[in-house]
mmCIF file of all heavy atoms in Angstrom:
data_model
loop_
_atom_site.group_PDB
_atom_site.id
_atom_site.type_symbol
_atom_site.label_atom_id
_atom_site.label_comp_id
_atom_site.label_asym_id
_atom_site.label_seq_id
_atom_site.Cartn_x
_atom_site.Cartn_y
_atom_site.Cartn_z
ATOM 1 N N SER A 11 89.045 -21.715 187.734
ATOM 2 C CA SER A 11 89.201 -20.816 186.585
ATOM 3 C C SER A 11 88.325 -21.257 185.428
ATOM 4 O O SER A 11 87.684 -20.456 184.745
ATOM 5 C CB SER A 11 90.675 -20.760 186.140
ATOM 6 O OG SER A 11 91.129 -22.058 185.793
ATOM 7 N N LEU A 12 88.258 -22.586 185.204
ATOM 8 C CA LEU A 12 87.435 -23.092 184.114
ATOM 9 C C LEU A 12 85.969 -22.875 184.417
ATOM 10 O O LEU A 12 85.163 -22.570 183.539
ATOM 11 C CB LEU A 12 87.732 -24.572 183.882
ATOM 12 C CG LEU A 12 86.932 -25.259 182.765
ATOM 13 C CD1 LEU A 12 87.165 -24.549 181.434
ATOM 14 C CD2 LEU A 12 87.322 -26.733 182.667
ATOM 15 N N LEU A 13 85.605 -23.024 185.678
ATOM 16 C CA LEU A 13 84.223 -22.835 186.075
ATOM 17 C C LEU A 13 83.766 -21.405 185.816
ATOM 18 O O LEU A 13 82.654 -21.162 185.324
ATOM 19 C CB LEU A 13 84.070 -23.153 187.575
ATOM 20 C CG LEU A 13 82.641 -23.034 188.133
ATOM 21 C CD1 LEU A 13 81.713 -23.997 187.426
ATOM 22 C CD2 LEU A 13 82.647 -23.314 189.633
ATOM 23 N N ILE A 14 84.636 -20.454 186.059
ATOM 24 C CA ILE A 14 84.298 -19.052 185.805
ATOM 25 C C ILE A 14 84.063 -18.809 184.324
ATOM 26 O O ILE A 14 83.115 -18.137 183.915
ATOM 27 C CB ILE A 14 85.422 -18.124 186.327
ATOM 28 C CG1 ILE A 14 85.474 -18.208 187.855
ATOM 29 C CG2 ILE A 14 85.193 -16.676 185.866
ATOM 30 C CD1 ILE A 14 86.658 -17.490 188.451
ATOM 31 N N VAL A 15 84.906 -19.387 183.473
ATOM 32 C CA VAL A 15 84.766 -19.226 182.024
ATOM 33 C C VAL A 15 83.441 -19.787 181.550
ATOM 34 O O VAL A 15 82.737 -19.199 180.729
ATOM 35 C CB VAL A 15 85.934 -19.902 181.282
ATOM 36 C CG1 VAL A 15 85.676 -19.926 179.771
ATOM 37 C CG2 VAL A 15 87.234 -19.193 181.594
ATOM 38 N N MET A 16 83.073 -20.964 182.093
ATOM 39 C CA MET A 16 81.834 -21.603 181.676
ATOM 40 C C MET A 16 80.629 -20.762 182.078
ATOM 41 O O MET A 16 79.671 -20.631 181.322
ATOM 42 C CB MET A 16 81.733 -22.997 182.287
ATOM 43 C CG MET A 16 82.755 -23.982 181.715
ATOM 44 S SD MET A 16 82.688 -25.595 182.531
ATOM 45 C CE MET A 16 81.057 -26.143 182.076
ATOM 46 N N VAL A 17 80.678 -20.192 183.258
ATOM 47 C CA VAL A 17 79.572 -19.356 183.732
ATOM 48 C C VAL A 17 79.390 -18.130 182.838
ATOM 49 O O VAL A 17 78.286 -17.756 182.459
ATOM 50 C CB VAL A 17 79.799 -18.930 185.195
ATOM 51 C CG1 VAL A 17 78.763 -17.870 185.605
ATOM 52 C CG2 VAL A 17 79.699 -20.127 186.118
ATOM 53 N N VAL A 18 80.524 -17.490 182.468
ATOM 54 C CA VAL A 18 80.469 -16.316 181.592
ATOM 55 C C VAL A 18 79.904 -16.687 180.235
ATOM 56 O O VAL A 18 79.078 -15.964 179.647
ATOM 57 C CB VAL A 18 81.874 -15.695 181.447
ATOM 58 C CG1 VAL A 18 81.853 -14.596 180.382
ATOM 59 C CG2 VAL A 18 82.342 -15.135 182.779
ATOM 60 N N PHE A 19 80.338 -17.829 179.692
ATOM 61 C CA PHE A 19 79.863 -18.274 178.387
ATOM 62 C C PHE A 19 78.352 -18.494 178.385
ATOM 63 O O PHE A 19 77.645 -18.081 177.477
ATOM 64 C CB PHE A 19 80.591 -19.568 177.990
ATOM 65 C CG PHE A 19 80.144 -20.139 176.672
ATOM 66 C CD1 PHE A 19 80.644 -19.652 175.481
ATOM 67 C CD2 PHE A 19 79.186 -21.162 176.628
ATOM 68 C CE1 PHE A 19 80.216 -20.174 174.286
ATOM 69 C CE2 PHE A 19 78.767 -21.670 175.434
ATOM 70 C CZ PHE A 19 79.282 -21.182 174.257
ATOM 71 N N ILE A 20 77.880 -19.181 179.477
ATOM 72 C CA ILE A 20 76.441 -19.453 179.573
ATOM 73 C C ILE A 20 75.663 -18.153 179.670
ATOM 74 O O ILE A 20 74.613 -17.973 179.060
ATOM 75 C CB ILE A 20 76.154 -20.361 180.788
ATOM 76 C CG1 ILE A 20 76.770 -21.750 180.553
ATOM 77 C CG2 ILE A 20 74.657 -20.478 181.047
ATOM 78 C CD1 ILE A 20 76.743 -22.649 181.767
ATOM 79 N N PHE A 21 76.190 -17.170 180.401
ATOM 80 C CA PHE A 21 75.510 -15.884 180.561
ATOM 81 C C PHE A 21 75.402 -15.135 179.238
ATOM 82 O O PHE A 21 74.358 -14.616 178.873
ATOM 83 C CB PHE A 21 76.264 -15.027 181.584
ATOM 84 C CG PHE A 21 75.707 -13.646 181.728
ATOM 85 C CD1 PHE A 21 74.589 -13.410 182.528
ATOM 86 C CD2 PHE A 21 76.296 -12.583 181.050
ATOM 87 C CE1 PHE A 21 74.066 -12.138 182.641
ATOM 88 C CE2 PHE A 21 75.767 -11.315 181.183
ATOM 89 C CZ PHE A 21 74.653 -11.091 181.969
ATOM 90 N N LEU A 22 76.518 -15.146 178.467
ATOM 91 C CA LEU A 22 76.519 -14.439 177.183
ATOM 92 C C LEU A 22 75.590 -15.108 176.195
ATOM 93 O O LEU A 22 74.898 -14.450 175.418
ATOM 94 C CB LEU A 22 77.939 -14.387 176.608
ATOM 95 C CG LEU A 22 78.937 -13.518 177.374
ATOM 96 C CD1 LEU A 22 80.328 -13.652 176.772
ATOM 97 C CD2 LEU A 22 78.493 -12.061 177.359
ATOM 98 N N ALA A 23 75.568 -16.439 176.217
ATOM 99 C CA ALA A 23 74.700 -17.162 175.292
ATOM 100 C C ALA A 23 73.237 -16.889 175.579
ATOM 101 O O ALA A 23 72.418 -16.757 174.680
ATOM 102 C CB ALA A 23 74.984 -18.664 175.390
ATOM 103 N N ALA A 24 72.934 -16.788 176.879
ATOM 104 C CA ALA A 24 71.540 -16.547 177.264
ATOM 105 C C ALA A 24 71.091 -15.148 176.897
ATOM 106 O O ALA A 24 69.916 -14.906 176.635
ATOM 107 C CB ALA A 24 71.364 -16.782 178.767
ATOM 108 N N ASN A 25 72.019 -14.188 176.850
ATOM 109 C CA ASN A 25 71.669 -12.799 176.596
ATOM 110 C C ASN A 25 72.035 -12.325 175.196
ATOM 111 O O ASN A 25 71.991 -11.140 174.903
ATOM 112 C CB ASN A 25 72.354 -11.883 177.619
ATOM 113 C CG ASN A 25 71.781 -12.070 179.010
ATOM 114 O OD1 ASN A 25 70.758 -11.501 179.366
ATOM 115 N ND2 ASN A 25 72.441 -12.931 179.801
#
Side-chain angles (χ1 to χ4, degrees):
S11 59
L12 180 58
L13 182 61
I14 293 172
V15 171
M16 291 176 64
V17 171
V18 172
F19 178 82
I20 293 171
F21 175 81
L22 292 175
N25 291 277

